[in-house]
Amino acid sequence: MSKHPDPSRRSERSRQAILAAARELVSEVGYGKVSIEAIAARAGVGKQTIYRWWRSKGAVIFDAFLALSEADEGGVTLPDTGDIEADLKTVMRATVAEFADPAFEAPIRALNTEIINDPDLAAQYRERLAGPVNEAKKARLRSAQQAGQIAADLDLDLALELLYAPLFQRWLHRSGPLTPEYADALVDLFLKAARPS
């Protein structure tokens, strides 16, 4: 008796191929020049397969970035060992490594280029990607506040900007190396400002 191929497995393979093709094309030609036709050709699927799951090019590309982020973040959760310094260093080292990885860096740089010029895309990015990730980060900081490890009155939105903005600026301007030592230094400086006085 011959085994029939599993349609759900084949579907998931096609979906992942489409998401990978979208990320690659955005890196290579820029968001504006990517088309559904090009994504379909790169992924080895028909256009109708893409339209079965997504309404537009923007929806495909956005899901491609969401999938990349979820894979690299392990879902939107942060470690909570009870030691805020160790946990932040783990997260910041992973973030630095991610931004230094060409496979992640190129499509994210392309997306940021589009966000600068497209307020609607920027709003989608905040709502669907940055927002949920920031909420997870703030949940970890709240846990540290409850444990008395950082100041109870710390503005958590501002705290995240203090922690991540220097990394983002260094990455954006290519002004210095993205190393584990740099990640640790950011956490050390952040905690000097954030600890209870």
Side-chain angles (χ1 to χ4, degrees), residues 89-184:
K89 284 183 176 176
T90 297
V91 170
M92 291 300 286
R93 279 174 172 239
T95 304
V96 163
E98 188 173 68
F99 276 85
D101 176 0
F104 181 87
E105 197 264 358
I108 292 298
R109 195 170 285 279
L111 178 63
N112 274 274
T113 302
E114 295 303 320
I115 283 171
I116 289 165
N117 298 305
D118 186 339
D120 291 337
L121 186 62
Q124 282 188 60
Y125 176 79
R126 285 193 306 274
E127 180 187 332
R128 295 182 61 198
L129 186 58
V133 172
N134 284 343
E135 284 308 311
K137 291 171 183 172
K138 285 193 284 187
R140 179 62 190 92
L141 292 179
R142 277 188 209 100
S143 170
Q145 283 178 318
Q146 289 158 6
Q149 295 177 334
I150 61 174
D153 61 351
L154 188 66
D155 178 323
L156 298 184
D157 289 303
L158 186 56
L160 288 181
E161 288 186 21
L162 283 171
L163 186 57
Y164 283 89
L167 163 59
F168 188 75
Q169 178 172 305
R170 180 175 282 208
W171 170 76
L172 190 64
H173 295 164
R174 305 180 199 267
S175 58
L178 298 175
T179 63
E181 294 76 19
Y182 177 66
D184 289 353

Side-chain angles (χ1 to χ4, degrees), residues 62-83:
F62 224 89
D63 277 354
F65 285 107
L66 285 171
L68 184 66
S69 175
E70 285 161 8
D72 285 4
E73 296 267 345
V76 187
T77 55
L78 268 67
D80 190 347
T81 66
D83 180 342

